[in-house]
Amino acid sequence: MQVVLGDITKLDVDAIVNAANTTLLGGGGVDGAIHRAAGPELLQECRLLGGCETGDAKITGGYDLPARHVIHTVGPVWRGGTRGEREFLSSCYRRCLEVAAEHHLTSIAFPSISTGVYGFPLELAAPIAVTTVRVFLSRYDKPLAVTFCCFGQDAYDLYRNLVGQGEKP
């Protein structure tokens, strides 16, 4: 696992993960940025998928992106933490990794799912993301490079500490 600070639409990996809404037809934040960078063909393919449930994931081509695929997942809206938000978020990361494995991908990059407009507190979401990925990788027998791509410095610092890439004393 590695952590980078930057724009997920610029990463040259097998798949980037889109923090999508249930329609998969684009939106704000990382979802809108991915749709804009990928071009209109992404929207056309997404229209054929019939949406996506919260906690699930679906794959499309990457089109004009450096990434060859986009794995779309729908994170939970934070409603105080009593409506299964943690479980849904963990499911997002796990399902994306399962989809990547099913398609024999060797590299995947995640944004911080649900921590933008969906309001999931970053300090709660990041440990769920890192733990879910660690557990999956410990059970998966093929090499899969996982990148957490952070848009802001606070997320970057938190993820680096959780992944173990923090500054050494």
Side-chain angles (χ1 to χ4, degrees), residues 2 10 22-23 27 42 44 54 70 81 84-86 97 102 117 122 126 129 151 153 157-158 161 163 169:
Q2 69 170 340
K10 306 291 187 203
T22 57
T23 70
L42 179 60
Q44 290 173 359
T54 301
V70 177
E85 294 97 318
R86 289 170 180 85
L97 292 164
E102 289 164 9
V117 68
L122 176 63
F151 190 69
Q153 189 67 46
D157 292 341
L158 178 56
N161 285 331
V163 169

Side-chain angles (χ1 to χ4, degrees), residues 92-132:
C92 288
Y93 286 94
R94 186 173 46 261
R95 283 293 301 132
C96 288
L97 292 164
E98 289 169 353
V99 168
E102 289 164 9
H103 288 84
H104 310 287
L105 306 183
T106 59
S107 58
I108 185 171
F110 287 98
S112 188
I113 300 166
S114 283
T115 61
V117 68
Y118 281 15
F120 206 114
L122 176 63
E123 64 276 4
L124 299 178
I128 292 168
V130 172
T131 299
T132 302

Side-chain angles (χ1 to χ4, degrees), residues 24-57:
L24 302 182
L25 302 180
V30 71
D31 190 12
I34 289 172
H35 272 269
R36 284 189 299 277
E41 296 88 356
L42 179 60
L43 179 58
Q44 290 173 359
E45 185 175 357
C46 283
R47 283 191 173 117
L48 303 174
L49 297 178
C52 186
E53 297 294 321
T54 301
D56 201 1

